Structures are given as C-alpha cells and as structure tokens.
C-alpha cells in the first residue's frame, strides 16, 4: 500500500454498516469497515476501487474489515483485517493487519505468525469454556426488563386515575397535600375502631383485663411454685376479661404433660365437658369452647374460680377439642357471659378498608417511592395494631397505649431498613412502569404485600411449619413434606429470577451476593454456644435482592417478601439472628440430665381406715457431673403441681426421701426434674402413675428397676 506518484493520497476510508445490513451485529460490537478510495490526480475513481468500495458497503465477500481488539500478551490496541471468506478461499481477496498502522506499514513475518498462534490458542480456550462464557457473560443483546401494558387489560382505563389526578392537581405541592390527607384518613380508619373495640372495659365495677390467646391462670410445670402459692388465689374469685379474635388457631409449640399424656401442636384446653376447666387451660380458648366468645370477633366474659376439682371430662365444642384429665387439680374455673360487653374485635372489617385504601394508593400514583413507602407504612400499622398485634396481657384501659408504643418503636428502625431495600430492589421494580399498567402493578405488588403481611392467616394456616428447628420438623405432622415443597418452590422461583438477571447481564453480581450471604450464614452456623435463627424478617431480607427487576413475577414476589418482613417485625420485633439455646427454648426441653428414680416403696397401714403412702428415692449423682451441669436440687410434681423441692446443700440426693400419702381415691401422676441455677427446673421425666388400686407404673425410658 503506497501513495501514488502525483502526491495525492490513496488510502482507506472508515464507513459504518448501514441499518438493515446483514453484518449489523458485527458493527454493534465495535467493528468498522474500510473501503479503498484510490483517486487519480484529476479526481476520478478507478473502476476496481469503486467496485471494491461498493462491495464493502453492501457486505460482499470481497470486502476488507478491521476489527479492534486487545492482544492477550500485549497491552497496546491492535486491529485485525479479516476477510469474509464464506466460500473457503484463502488469501486471495483479503489480508490481515496485526497493528493499526498506516497502509504503508510492513508486517514482520515472524511476529505475525506468533500472534496468529496466540489467537488460535485463545479461540480454543474460549471454545472450551463457552458454557461458562454463556453463563457468566451477558446475553447477546442485554436488555432491561420493563412491564408493558396488555391491550386486553384496558390500559387507557388503568391510567385514568393517574391522569385525572395530574389534570386536577398538576403541581407537586398539591399532590403532597392530597397524599397527606389520604394518609390521615387511613390512620384514622385504623385508630378509631381500635379505640372503640380495645378501650377500657368495666364489668360489675371491675376493669376487665385484656388477655392474649395463650393467657392462663396457672403456669406450666413448676411455674406456680410449691403448692401453687405463686398463682393464688385459687378459688372464690371472679375475673372479667376480654379476648382478641383468631384464638382458635393458636397451638402449643412445646409439649405439655396432662397427667400421663403429652400434648402438643393443638389448642390447650383441659376439661370443659361439664363446664369446668383445669386452671392451666388457655382462658380465651376455653371461652371459645364454652361458646362465650366467637373466634371471628373475640369478645369478653367472666372467669369464676372454683378451687380444687376432680375429674375433668373432655369434649369437642364450637370447633375446639379439649383434653381429659382423670384426677384432681388445685384450681379450676368456669367461663360466664356478661352483659354490655361492647363491640367485638373489628379486624376483618378494618382489613377490607385498609386493603381498599392500599390499592387506591397504588393505582393513583406513578411514583415508585410513594407506592413503596406508603404501602409499607400503612400495612405495618395495620399488622402491628389490628391483624396480628403482640400477644400482651394488660388491663383494658392501657391496651391501646401499649400497642401503639410497641408499634412505633418497631416501625422507625423498620423504615430505615426499607430505605436500603428500596435502593437495592424496590426502585428497579416500581419506577418507570407504564401508566397503562398502573392497576396491574398495584394488584400484583399490593396483593403480595397483604399476602405476606397476613402470614398468621395465610401461610401459617396453610403450611404446617411452626419453627424451622429440627425438633419441630420431626414432631409436627406434615412439616417435613411441607418444607420440601416450600424449598422446591423457592428454588424454582430462584432459577426464574436468575434467568431474568442473565438476560439483563447482571447474573454475576446476583450470584456474587448470594455466594457472600451463604458464606456469612456458614460462619454464623458454627458460632459456638449460639443458634442461628432465620426469622421472618431475615428470610425476607435475604430474598428481596432477587426481585430487583421490573417483571410481573418480581412485582408479586417483592410485595410478598416486604409483607413477610412487616409481619415478622411488627409481631415479634428485631429478634437477633444469633441466640442462645435458652433464649429460644421457651418452656421446651433443655436436653439436660433427669433424675434416675429407684423403684418406689409403697407402705400400707390399717388403722381403721386403710392409709397408703408412696416413698421415692433417687440414684446418687456424681459430684463432677453435678458441678458441670450446675445442678443444685431436685423437684417433684404430683398431678402437674410442684409438691417437693430439695437442695443438695442441705441433703445429698441419695439420702433424700419424698413421701406422698394418698388422700383421695384417684390415679396420681409423678414427674421429677433437677433444679439448676437460680431455682430453674430443668428437664422433666415422663410421668409415672400410682393407680388407685395401689400399683405403680413407671414412666418410659427414665427409671431404673
């Protein structure tokens, strides 16, 4: 390539492939086309040059193309002149330029060969890893997803509300006033019914006590102390109460013993077949069983304590099944209706109002921020005050203040968390949606928001999983199958979202985030002495980044996860991800040692009246084990009431004797546990039974013959 002798230059002119050319994709990747314009002195173009140039512009085989690239071994930019040789010809109609130089440059043969070999090796490596390139690289044409209105969903009608507001209130400050008024109406629609239904209630001159669904008059195991002294009075007392709605579905999450029977994952009502309930029954569930209140609206009533009662018969009434107990208990009660109970719980009517207002908010704005934070705040307030408030027990005159205080204390940090969530995921999903899909966006996102926010009525009612713990999953019927199904659904949705991320060219960042999250979780799992707890809100925060795109599935999933976050925080607060076993155990098992009971001795005396007494002794406890387990004493339950507590500082275990005379002709049930630091009772044995005929039956697995 050289300049012609008359001084006029002959060279290459850069031209772009025109739209519609079959080489358009190459041009988009940064390719440029060279055409040869060899002009003579008087400005004419030779026929061969013209034909060559035309061929290049039209995409003929005879064209010469220069592609910009970066050599793997050298950092300087190079251009490669390639020949589009579709017919397999080699070297006749094209040549290669290894460096972007003037056409007069000479190419050294050895350097050309080495670079060509390096290129071939690089091509082979890329071929071997083409799957990885496809997976981690962007799609051939990366695109950002967007929701376009469907014609059959009447886009003009969907945009009508937004257009009307823009027409009537064109300025931002006007829309701001409208939004403030809308929020005030929503807040009043929540607070006014709450004050009317949960305000102070006086029955027969006594202020009623607001009870939670699991409130009872008697604690489990030894919570009421020796002979029940901490739970007095035991009789001749009345107590007016008020219960919330939705108590029928509340279940025990840790096993309890009723005599020799262990009950779990069910309502806890003992007796009631004859209208009398054992003192440790859940009061609101007993009131449901008795028909004094309704599950839909809750209600109020009066508890009348009756003292000791014998033989609590079971029955199924008003959808609640009770448990039988065939012996005596020191406290019992009846549930009575009262007049002028006031309005019942109005949560379902308030729910309809709140759902309607949230949909109206979503359909009346094209701003993602207004929809996200307005919907979040409204649903949070509703869940924290109405649909799933914290289970607290206070006098009725202080209930509203207590609930509002708890809700506000949890709302403020939750909003700051949602600011980060919106920046990471929400803005990509909600901003820029076409006005013709406004109602579609509102139904999907707000619908998912309520579905997650009402978890206590949706997922908890449909999925038999109370807690993600090994013990619960093994014990609760259907929990393992449900967990497999849930995990399968999550994996399927994750694959769908990953495909969308790949289409947008963001898959590496998506996978990198979750690889880091899995690494952090792995570190937390192995922390000594601590248990990892994936609470509602933690699970939601982990999955929300996977919804950071504008697709219809992402709208629904993002709303669902934000609602799940709301339910977890508004109901339970920001519980720690790492907790000690004791803090999450509740009234469940410690996994501690239990006493080994020597076969009891039954003494019978005939003194006009037959008198029987049973005597218990225990195997010796090694001092090293006692100190290591921090065991300080032993406790004995008779008929689920603590009747004996001995301390090793006073008497050694093997020297202790517990004697219990029979006062009543009834089967009696005995359980034993060690006492730890601070007087806390550890794990209890199963119940041994002293039958009314004088024989003894030991509990399973804990007793020496």
């Amino acid at each position: 390539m050289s300049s012609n002798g008359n001084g006029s230059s002959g060279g290459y002119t850069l031209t772009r492939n025109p739209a519609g050319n079959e080489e358009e994709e190459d041009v988009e990747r940064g390719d440029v086309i060279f055409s040869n314009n060899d002009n003579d002195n008087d400005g004419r173009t030779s026929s061969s040059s013209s034909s060559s140039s035309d061929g290049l512009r039209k995409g003929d085989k005879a064209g010469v193309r220069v592609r910009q690239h970066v050599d793997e071994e050298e950092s300087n930019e190079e251009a490669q002149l390639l020949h589009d040789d579709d017919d397999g010809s080699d070297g006749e109609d094209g040549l290669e330029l290894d460096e972007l130089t003037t056409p007069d440059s000479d190419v050294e043969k050895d350097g050309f060969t080495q670079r060509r070999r390096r290129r071939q090796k690089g091509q082979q490596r890329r071929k071997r890893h083409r799957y990885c390139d496809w997976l981690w690289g962007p799609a051939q044409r990366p695109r950002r997803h967007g929701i376009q209105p469907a014609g059959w969903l009447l886009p003009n009608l969907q945009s009508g509300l937004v257009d009307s507001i823009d027409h009537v209130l064109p300025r931002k400050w006007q829309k701001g006033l409208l939004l403030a008024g809308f929020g005030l109406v929503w807040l009043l629609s929540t607070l006014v019914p709450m004050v009317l239904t949960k305000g102070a209630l006086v029955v027969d001159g006594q202020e009623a006590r607001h009870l939670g669904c699991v409130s009872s008059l008697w604690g489990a195991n030894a919570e009421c102390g020796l002979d029940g002294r901490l739970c007095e009075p035991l009789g001749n007392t009345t107590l007016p109460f008020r219960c919330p709605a939705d108590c029928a579905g509340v279940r025990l999450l840790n096993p309890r013993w009723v005599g020799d029977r262990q009950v779990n994952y069910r309502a806890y009502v003992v007796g009631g077949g004859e209208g009398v309930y054992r003192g440790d029954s859940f009061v609101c569930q007993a009131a449901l069983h008795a028909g004094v209140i309704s599950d839909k609206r809750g209600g109020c009533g009066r508890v009348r304590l009756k003292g000791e009662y014998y033989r609590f018969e079971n029955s199924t009434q008003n959808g609640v099944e009770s448990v039988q107990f065939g012996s005596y208990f020191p406290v019992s009660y009846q549930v009575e209706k009262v007049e002028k109970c006031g309005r019942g719980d109005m949560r379902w009517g308030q729910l309809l109002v709140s759902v309607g207002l949230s949909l109206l908010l979503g359909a009346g704005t094209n701003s993602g921020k207004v929809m996200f934070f307005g919907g979040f705040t409204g649903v949070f307030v509703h869940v924290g005050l109405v649909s799933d408030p914290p289970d607290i027990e206070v006098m009725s005159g202080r209930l509203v203040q207590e609930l509002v205080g708890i809700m506000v204390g949890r709302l403020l940090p939750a909003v700051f968390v949602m600011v980060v969530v919106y920046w990471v995921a929400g803005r990509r999903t909600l901003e820029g949606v076409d006005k013709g899909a406004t109602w579609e966006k509102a139904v999907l996102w707000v619908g998912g928001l309520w579905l997650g926010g009402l978890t206590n009525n949706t997922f908890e009612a449909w999925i038999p999983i109370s807690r993600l713990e090994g013990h619960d999953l093994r014990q609760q019927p259907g929990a393992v199958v449900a967990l497999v199904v849930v995990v399968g659904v999550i994996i399927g949705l994750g694959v769908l979202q990953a495909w969308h991320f790949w289409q947008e060219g963001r898959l590496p960042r998506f996978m990198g985030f979750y690889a880091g999250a899995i690494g952090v979780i792995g570190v937390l799992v192995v922390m000594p002495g601590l248990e990892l707890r994936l609470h509602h809100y933690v699970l939601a925060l982990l999955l929300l980044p996977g919804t950071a795109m504008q697709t219809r599935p992402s709208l629904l999933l993002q709303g669902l996860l934000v609602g799940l976050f709301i339910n977890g925080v508004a109901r339970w607060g920001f519980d720690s991800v790492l907790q000690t076993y004791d803090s999450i155990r509740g009234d469940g098992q410690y996994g501690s040692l239990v006493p080994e009971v020597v076969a009891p001795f039954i003494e019978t005396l005939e003194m006009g009246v037959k008198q029987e007494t049973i005597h218990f002794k225990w195997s010796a406890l090694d001092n090293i084990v006692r100190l290591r387990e921090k065991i300080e004493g032993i406790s004995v339950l008779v008929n689920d009431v603590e009747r004996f507590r001995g301390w090793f500082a006073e008497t050694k275990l093997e020297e202790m004797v517990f004697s219990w005379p029979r006062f009543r002709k009834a089967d009696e049930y005995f359980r034993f546990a060690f006492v730890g630091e601070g007087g806390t009772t550890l794990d209890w044995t199963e119940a041994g039974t002293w039958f009314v005929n004088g024989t003894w039956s030991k509990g399973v697995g804990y007793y020496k013959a």
Side-chain angles (χ1 to χ4, degrees):
M1 305 174 190
S2 62
S3 60
N4 59 28
N6 295 326
S8 62
S9 62
Y12 289 89
T13 302
L14 291 174
T15 63
R16 289 280 181 185
N17 237 359
N21 193 297
E22 62 185 4
E23 295 181 355
E24 180 183 353
E25 294 180 10
D26 292 332
V27 174
E28 290 179 355
R29 291 194 294 268
D31 296 346
V32 293
I33 304 301
F34 278 76
S35 64
N36 192 352
N37 295 325
D38 292 331
N39 298 336
D40 54 15
N41 292 332
D42 56 355
R44 292 176 299 175
T45 304
S46 65
S47 60
S48 61
S49 300
S50 176
S51 62
S52 175
S53 176
D54 292 340
L56 285 166
R57 291 189 176 91
K58 296 178 181 178
D60 282 352
K61 298 178 181 179
V64 180
R65 175 185 302 163
V66 174
R67 176 172 299 171
Q68 296 176 348
H69 69 284
V70 178
D71 193 281
E72 294 180 359
E73 300 292 332
E74 302 172 17
S75 62
N76 61 308
E77 294 186 355
E78 296 183 351
Q80 178 184 355
L81 192 58
L82 300 173
H83 171 230
D84 292 338
D85 190 7
D86 293 340
D87 58 0
S89 61
D90 188 12
E92 294 180 2
D93 297 322
L95 54 88
E96 295 181 353
L97 292 179
D98 289 285
E99 295 182 354
L100 188 60
T101 61
T102 63
D104 295 329
S105 299
D106 294 329
V107 179
E108 294 183 1
K109 183 176 181 180
D110 292 342
F112 173 81
T113 304
Q114 293 175 2
R115 282 189 290 271
R116 184 172 184 178
R117 288 175 180 173
R118 286 198 299 268
R119 274 198 308 277
Q120 290 174 348
K121 291 180 180 179
Q123 291 172 357
Q124 291 174 356
R125 286 195 298 269
R126 287 193 295 272
K127 185 176 181 181
R128 286 195 301 268
H129 301 293
R130 62 184 181 276
Y131 177 75
C132 293
D133 291 341
W134 175 85
L135 178 64
W136 293 108
Q140 187 174 8
R141 294 188 179 212
R143 63 187 180 90
R144 183 168 181 174
H145 290 89
I147 295 177
Q148 298 300 322
W152 62 277
L153 289 177
L154 306 176
N156 292 333
L157 184 61
Q158 291 195 48
S159 64
L161 183 58
V162 174
D163 292 337
S164 298
I165 293 176
D166 288 339
H167 179 72
V168 177
L169 305 172
R171 300 183 181 277
K172 286 186 177 181
W173 66 268
Q174 294 173 328
K175 292 185 176 70
L177 288 178
L178 176 63
L179 181 62
F182 182 87
L184 180 61
V185 170
W186 196 347
L187 181 62
L188 291 176
S189 70
T190 301
L191 290 179
V192 171
M194 180 182 174
V195 172
L196 293 176
T197 60
K198 297 181 179 180
L201 175 66
V202 178
V203 176
D204 297 336
Q206 288 180 280
E207 183 178 358
R209 189 170 188 84
H210 178 85
L211 303 179
C213 292
V214 297
S215 298
S216 64
L217 305 177
W218 187 279
N221 297 320
E223 290 182 12
C224 286
L226 196 63
D227 298 325
R229 295 169 187 168
L230 301 180
C231 294
E232 294 176 343
L234 305 180
N236 299 321
T237 304
T238 60
L239 172 67
F241 66 89
R242 181 168 57 200
C243 292
D246 291 341
C247 284
V250 174
R251 298 288 183 266
L252 286 171
L253 296 182
N254 288 316
R256 286 201 186 188
W257 285 86
V258 179
D260 62 345
R261 180 181 179 184
Q262 188 183 62
V263 296
N264 201 8
Y265 302 116
R266 57 170 295 164
Y268 190 69
V269 178
V270 182
E274 298 177 349
V276 180
Y277 300 90
R278 205 171 85 161
D280 58 343
S281 302
F282 293 161
V283 174
C284 290
Q285 290 190 331
L288 284 171
H289 183 270
V292 172
I293 65 174
S294 70
D295 187 50
K296 185 178 180 180
R297 296 181 62 86
C300 60
R302 182 191 298 111
V303 165
R304 186 175 297 277
L305 296 176
K306 295 178 63 64
E308 184 176 281
Y309 194 80
Y310 170 73
R311 196 168 184 81
F312 298 85
E313 299 291 342
N314 69 312
S315 66
T316 300
Q317 299 173 196
N318 302 307
V320 179
E321 181 183 3
S322 65
V323 181
Q324 182 172 342
F325 179 62
S327 191
Y328 58 90
F329 199 79
V331 61
S332 63
Y333 64 85
Q334 291 177 312
V335 185
E336 303 171 347
K337 288 186 176 181
V338 297
E339 300 295 332
K340 299 180 180 179
C341 189
R343 300 174 178 85
D345 197 314
M346 298 173 61
R347 67 178 59 187
W348 294 107
Q350 290 178 267
L351 176 63
L352 293 177
V353 173
S354 292
V355 170
L357 291 173
S358 61
L359 287 173
L360 190 62
L361 174 66
T365 180
N366 207 33
S367 169
K369 296 184 183 68
V370 171
M371 181 175 176
F372 186 92
F373 289 102
F376 170 81
T377 304
V379 175
F380 194 103
V381 171
H382 182 90
V383 172
L385 298 181
V386 180
S387 67
D388 197 13
D391 200 4
I392 60 176
E393 182 178 336
V394 295
M395 300 306 293
S396 59
R398 294 193 293 113
L399 177 63
V400 175
Q401 295 90 328
E402 292 283 348
L403 290 179
V404 171
I406 294 172
M407 184 273 297
V408 173
R410 295 172 177 176
L411 174 62
L412 293 180
V415 169
F416 283 99
V417 174
M418 284 297 106
V419 169
V420 178
V421 170
Y422 182 79
W423 181 81
V424 171
R427 61 191 177 97
R428 289 181 176 271
T429 308
L430 296 176
E431 291 290 351
V433 178
D434 192 285
K435 288 194 299 184
T438 301
W439 273 100
E440 187 178 358
K441 174 189 68 175
V443 169
L444 288 173
W445 196 85
V446 174
L449 187 67
W450 282 108
L451 192 65
L454 299 175
T455 299
N456 58 313
N457 299 114
T458 54
F459 296 113
E460 290 181 6
W462 304 338
I463 302 175
I465 299 177
S466 300
R467 294 175 298 195
L468 288 175
E469 295 179 357
H471 177 270
D472 286 346
L473 295 176
R474 290 190 299 270
Q475 297 294 324
Q476 192 166 0
V480 175
V481 175
L483 180 63
V484 171
V485 173
V486 170
V487 171
V489 171
I490 292 176
I491 291 175
L493 293 174
V495 171
L496 174 65
Q497 294 301 96
W499 168 254
H500 289 154
F501 274 105
W502 178 83
Q503 289 179 318
E504 292 192 352
R506 295 191 290 136
L507 183 60
R509 282 183 290 173
F510 172 79
M511 299 298 291
F513 169 80
Y514 283 103
I518 292 173
V520 171
I521 291 174
V523 172
L524 297 179
V525 167
V526 299
M527 294 289 288
L530 295 171
E531 299 282 338
L532 176 66
R533 294 293 306 276
L534 290 179
H535 302 286
H536 288 60
Y537 79 92
V538 176
L539 186 62
L541 292 178
L542 284 174
L543 298 178
L544 272 167
T547 65
M549 67 186 66
Q550 195 175 107
T551 62
R552 288 173 176 84
S554 294
L555 278 173
L556 179 61
L557 292 174
Q558 187 176 109
L560 176 66
L561 293 173
V562 172
L564 193 65
F565 173 88
I566 289 173
N567 183 268
V569 175
R571 178 65 174 85
W572 306 104
F574 285 96
D575 274 359
S576 174
V577 178
L578 290 176
Q579 295 178 306
T580 62
Y581 180 76
D582 289 344
S583 66
I584 63 177
R585 182 188 64 87
D587 58 354
Q589 295 283 337
Y590 284 96
S592 65
L593 294 174
V594 294
E596 293 181 344
V597 182
V598 179
F601 171 69
I602 300 175
E603 180 184 13
T604 303
L605 297 177
E606 296 288 349
M607 300 177 60
V609 178
K610 183 179 180 180
Q611 179 64 52
E612 293 181 313
T613 304
I614 189 168
H615 306 278
F616 291 96
K617 294 191 70 175
W618 300 273
S619 300
L621 183 64
D622 186 89
N623 284 332
I624 296 177
V625 175
R626 181 178 65 83
L627 293 173
R628 185 184 69 229
E629 301 294 332
K630 300 179 180 180
I631 297 173
E632 299 180 355
I634 192 170
S635 175
V636 180
L637 298 182
V638 180
N639 284 358
D640 305 320
V641 179
E642 188 176 35
R643 297 298 187 179
F644 173 79
R645 180 167 289 208
W647 302 97
F648 300 152
E650 300 173 354
T651 308
K652 293 181 179 180
L653 176 62
E654 62 271 21
E655 297 176 359
M656 286 184 180
V657 178
F658 169 64
S659 300
W660 182 257
R662 188 189 296 278
F663 296 104
R664 302 165 187 83
K665 291 185 177 181
D667 295 342
E668 295 177 301
Y669 308 98
F670 296 80
R671 291 189 289 137
F672 310 89
F674 286 124
V675 178
E677 287 183 309
T680 302
T681 54
L682 305 180
D683 288 348
W684 296 91
T685 64
E686 296 184 12
T689 306
W690 187 22
F691 293 105
V692 69
N693 61 8
T695 60
W696 166 259
S697 175
K698 64 180 180 179
V700 178
Y702 293 107
Y703 295 81
K704 284 187 175 181

